[in-house]
Amino acid sequence: MKSVLSCFVLFILFSCGSAPKLVNKKPIDVDWIVGKWKQKDIEVYEKWVKISEMEYSGLSYDMNAGYATIKEKMRIFSKDNKTWYFEATIKENNNFPILFTWMPDPVIALKFVNEQHDFPQIIQYKKEAFDVMTATISDKNGDKKMIFDYSRYATQ
C-alpha cells in the first residue's frame, strides 16, 4: 500500500510541472513615489502623479514664502519599457530639460545618471519606508553630495 501511495505522490509531483513565475512587467518600480512628499524641517514639497504605466510627472515647489514657488519640473518615463529616464527642468538651465538614464541598483530604487552634466550627475530616490524617502543628488565620485529627507505628506 505504501509503495502505491508513494508512486501516486511522485506521479502527481512530476506531472504538475513547475509553478508559473510572477514576472514584473516593468524593470523599474516607480509607483511607490506617487503622492505628495514634504522635505524635513522646511516647507519644500515634491508631488508625483502617475500619467501612465510609462510616465510619471513630478513637481518640486517651495512654500516658505507663504505661496508656491516652483523649483523644478520632473518626469520619469520610458519609450520602450526597457530604458527609463529622469528628466529635470529648472530655470537655472533656461528651462531646458536635462536627461538622466536609469541605472539598476540593488539598494537604490530610482537611480539616474548623466555623467556629461556638470552637477548633479547622479539623482537617486531611495524608499526608506512607506512614508519616508531620501533624495540624493551628487557628482559621479560622490565628493559633492546633497541629501534631502522627505516624509509622505499625502497620497494622490
Side-chain angles (χ1 to χ4, degrees), residues 13 22 28 34 40-41 53 83 107 119 124-125 127-128 139 144:
L13 289 174
L22 296 175
I28 185 173
V34 172
K40 184 179 178 181
D41 300 328
E53 287 296 320
T83 307
V107 177
F119 183 83
Q124 302 177 137
Y125 284 90
K127 180 179 169 182
E128 303 290 348
D139 61 2
K144 187 176 179 185

Side-chain angles (χ1 to χ4, degrees), residues 6-68:
S6 298
C7 288
F8 180 72
V9 170
L10 287 174
F11 172 77
I12 296 295
L13 289 174
F14 286 113
S15 65
C16 289
S18 61
K21 295 180 181 175
L22 296 175
V23 177
N24 185 1
K25 295 179 183 175
K26 289 193 294 191
I28 185 173
D29 178 19
V30 187
D31 286 342
W32 65 269
I33 203 168
V34 172
K36 188 174 178 182
W37 298 85
K38 182 185 180 299
Q39 198 171 333
K40 184 179 178 181
D41 300 328
I42 60 173
E43 294 295 316
V44 174
Y45 299 84
E46 279 194 17
K47 182 171 183 176
W48 285 91
V49 295
K50 183 176 184 176
I51 305 298
S52 71
E53 287 296 320
M54 307 286 276
E55 183 177 1
Y56 299 78
S57 181
L59 184 66
S60 174
Y61 59 96
D62 186 330
M63 293 292 292
N64 283 306
Y67 54 88

Side-chain angles (χ1 to χ4, degrees), residues 92-111:
E92 290 84 6
N93 195 46
N94 295 320
N95 290 317
F96 289 115
I98 306 159
L99 201 60
F100 297 80
T101 305
W102 178 61
M103 297 291 283
D105 187 287
V107 177
I108 309 298
L110 301 172
K111 179 179 181 179

Side-chain angles (χ1 to χ4, degrees), residues 100 103 108 110-115 117 119-124 136-142 144 146:
F100 297 80
M103 297 291 283
I108 309 298
L110 301 172
K111 179 179 181 179
F112 301 90
V113 177
N114 178 343
E115 291 187 13
H117 190 253
F119 183 83
Q121 295 171 321
I122 300 173
I123 296 175
Q124 302 177 137
T136 305
I137 60 174
S138 66
D139 61 2
K140 66 182 177 183
N141 300 324
K144 187 176 179 185
M146 297 172 72

